[in-house]
Amino acid sequence: ALQRACGLLNTQQARNAPETDGGIVKPRFLFNRRGVAQHQDFRLSGNCSVDRRGTDRRPVVTTLRIVRLPMEMHRLVGIQPCPMPTFLEYGWSIAIDPSYISKSGKKTPHIGRFWSGCAGAVKHGLEIMGLGLIDIDSHNCMMLRAHQTPGNFELKKRNMTLADHYIAVIKRYCRELLKLSHLVVADAFFSTRTFYEGIHQHGFHLVSRFRDNAHLCYLYEGERTGKRGRPKMIDGKIDLKKLDMSRMLPIFVDGLPGIAYTLIAYSKALKCKVRLVIWIMPDKKHKLFFSTDTTLSGEEVLDFYRTRFQIEFCFRDAKQFCGLTDSQARDTNKLDCAFNASFASLNVAKVMMKERHMEYSMSKFKLLMTNTFLTKRIFDVSRYRPNQTLINHIFKELFGCAA
């Protein structure tokens, strides 16, 4: 009934009521994030990975999470409380990315030389570390926090590197971030052992991309010899020109040209097992995506990394329309307030556009808000009270919301 109320099950499927056994709900029908029905044979216990068999010949790995719902939720949907209902995990992850902020002068706190991706060079200015929440279902990003990066001179005084600072930022907000997701999605700059071990100590897993010449190895799956010593774990290096197809599975993602394969491999750089996705493009070049959480499927790894680019759009819109680079303050707290107020206004604009069923366009939305403000200002100054009912009806018709 709870899944039916949330739109996950229809009436016919909901008649197959879930069976409970020792506080664990075992539904006969489960749906993934895209609403595709999976096989009925499931056995769930706590946080676990479930092998599901659909129309493919081989099982696909997905992640399920057992959660306990509050009593208010049961009363809201009008069902009897169940000891431990099951829900598919949200397709959320934490996206991180630094962004260059142009700034002149010498007295601004933490000013220095930082990498500008737009210019493709190191430039004089400021840098902020952006934290965003991305959703692979809606392919959208909501900014959570912006934290200013110290300059090179300040980092040397603290005996820190850029990677150490980025780890410290995640550590500072780890309690709030872990309530949303345990996955951190970042670009290839963060695919280092130092960064991975730094965030892994606080309960996070990394989804990122390897360099094209990364040293990766197959895992040994043979029988143990029974001899003394450490068991064999590595079974040869992965030759990207001669892939062993018997050790990997093909994956298919809509809109992805070329061929992609997935397997669990060993990374020599990270010193751990990873869920590896090898994407061979039509021009025979390849890209290597990975997740240190091996319970993820290859499709999920690709979806998370591809959705990571939404945080770049947040930086772009905040700079162009929300005044991210307009602050002339020379105080750390004032700069922090200006950066986060810019992203907060961006989040509010996204919510308002969604509620009004508008096509996402910050330029159109900003023009609409400007015209609304000027119109209201003219009415206030002229002390004229317009017909609010008629204006609301016309406003709804403009956005196709009228009944």
Side-chain angles (χ1 to χ4, degrees):
L2 184 60
Q3 288 181 330
R4 184 175 69 252
C6 297
L8 298 178
L9 293 176
N10 56 34
T11 306
Q12 180 64 30
Q13 294 163 340
R15 291 174 181 173
N16 298 306
E19 301 174 0
T20 59
D21 182 12
I24 303 299
V25 176
K26 297 189 294 184
R28 297 182 181 179
F29 288 90
L30 283 178
F31 283 69
N32 61 14
R33 299 190 189 97
R34 292 165 181 79
V36 180
Q38 305 301 332
H39 200 269
Q40 300 180 8
D41 297 332
F42 286 88
R43 299 185 64 184
L44 306 179
S45 58
N47 292 345
C48 61
S49 299
V50 180
D51 291 334
R52 64 178 188 257
R53 293 184 181 271
T55 57
D56 299 333
R57 291 175 293 177
R58 297 184 178 182
V60 182
V61 180
T62 187
T63 302
L64 295 174
R65 183 178 62 183
I66 310 298
V67 296
R68 186 181 298 275
L69 297 181
M71 296 296 296
E72 290 78 5
M73 179 63 74
H74 295 285
R75 288 193 288 267
L76 178 64
V77 298
I79 62 173
Q80 295 295 326
C82 188
M84 189 71 73
T86 62
F87 252 93
L88 290 175
E89 191 174 3
Y90 292 112
W92 291 351
S93 64
I94 308 299
I96 62 173
D97 197 50
S99 179
Y100 169 79
I101 305 295
S102 60
K103 187 75 171 180
S104 60
K106 299 180 181 180
K107 301 300 182 180
T108 306
H110 306 316
I111 198 165
R113 296 181 62 82
F114 298 97
W115 174 261
S116 172
C118 184
V122 177
K123 297 179 64 177
H124 182 80
L126 303 176
E127 183 187 86
I128 58 173
M129 176 67 167
L131 303 174
L133 180 66
I134 61 175
D135 186 354
I136 64 174
D137 295 328
S138 62
H139 295 280
N140 203 349
C141 176
M142 300 294 285
M143 295 303 297
L144 302 175
R145 194 67 168 83
H147 197 91
Q148 190 176 355
T149 303
N152 296 332
F153 180 73
E154 185 69 21
L155 288 175
K156 288 181 181 179
K157 289 177 59 178
R158 300 180 186 180
N159 195 20
M160 296 175 63
T161 63
L162 273 177
D164 295 333
H165 168 72
Y166 297 148
I167 295 171
V169 173
I170 296 178
K171 177 182 177 181
R172 181 174 181 175
Y173 307 108
C174 65
R175 287 188 178 182
E176 291 77 12
L177 295 179
L178 285 174
K179 296 176 183 178
L180 301 174
S181 177
H182 70 287
L183 295 176
V184 173
V185 187
D187 57 15
F189 173 81
F190 297 91
S191 60
T192 62
R193 184 181 179 185
T194 302
F195 182 78
Y196 164 65
E197 291 182 347
I199 65 172
H200 188 64
Q201 294 176 358
H202 304 290
F204 293 98
H205 283 281
L206 179 63
V207 178
S208 184
R209 181 174 67 86
F210 283 125
R211 296 185 304 175
D212 295 342
N213 60 347
H215 191 288
L216 302 166
C217 301
Y218 294 108
L219 294 180
Y220 178 73
E221 299 177 352
E223 297 181 357
R224 299 289 179 86
T225 60
K227 298 180 180 180
R228 297 179 60 184
R230 181 182 178 182
K232 185 178 180 180
M233 185 175 61
I234 299 175
D235 193 17
K237 182 180 178 180
I238 298 178
D239 187 359
L240 297 174
K241 295 182 179 180
K242 298 180 181 179
L243 296 176
D244 188 356
M245 298 302 175
S246 62
R247 298 174 181 260
M248 56 189 67
L249 295 174
I251 58 177
F252 304 96
V253 179
D254 295 338
L256 184 70
I259 307 174
Y261 301 94
T262 181
L263 74 158
I264 296 179
Y266 181 82
S267 171
K268 186 176 181 180
L270 301 181
K271 305 295 183 183
C272 67
K273 298 178 182 179
V274 296
R275 164 65 66 178
L276 179 65
V277 176
I278 304 174
W279 175 34
I280 302 177
M281 294 177 282
D283 57 358
K284 303 303 179 182
K285 294 182 180 180
H286 62 271
K287 296 294 180 183
L288 305 174
F289 307 96
F290 74 93
S291 169
T292 56
D293 185 359
T294 57
T295 61
L296 294 180
S297 64
E299 294 89 343
E300 289 173 328
V301 173
L302 278 177
D303 284 342
F304 278 124
Y305 191 83
R306 295 171 72 187
T307 312
R308 181 205 69 84
F309 202 78
Q310 293 296 322
I311 195 174
E312 303 286 356
F313 297 142
C314 292
F315 288 135
R316 180 201 63 186
D317 293 338
K319 290 179 180 179
Q320 293 181 358
F321 305 105
C322 300
L324 182 62
T325 60
D326 294 345
S327 176
Q328 298 297 318
R330 293 194 297 176
D331 181 78
T332 304
N333 294 331
K334 293 179 180 178
L335 285 172
D336 182 76
C337 179
F339 295 147
N340 287 281
S342 176
F343 287 124
S345 62
L346 177 64
N347 291 340
V348 171
K350 287 185 176 182
V351 173
M352 293 183 66
M353 282 185 281
K354 184 176 181 180
E355 290 179 349
R356 287 162 174 76
H357 306 282
M358 294 176 58
E359 181 183 359
Y360 180 75
S361 174
M362 281 299 297
S363 60
K364 294 181 180 179
F365 183 78
K366 186 175 182 180
L367 180 61
L368 175 64
M369 292 294 103
T370 303
N371 294 339
T372 303
F373 171 76
L374 293 177
T375 305
K376 185 177 183 301
R377 180 62 178 169
I378 293 173
F379 287 146
D380 291 341
V381 172
S382 62
R383 297 182 180 180
Y384 178 75
R385 301 188 65 179
N387 189 337
Q388 194 67 32
T389 304
L390 179 61
I391 291 178
N392 290 337
H393 182 73
I394 295 174
F395 185 81
K396 291 180 180 180
E397 284 185 346
L398 289 176
F399 296 102
C401 300

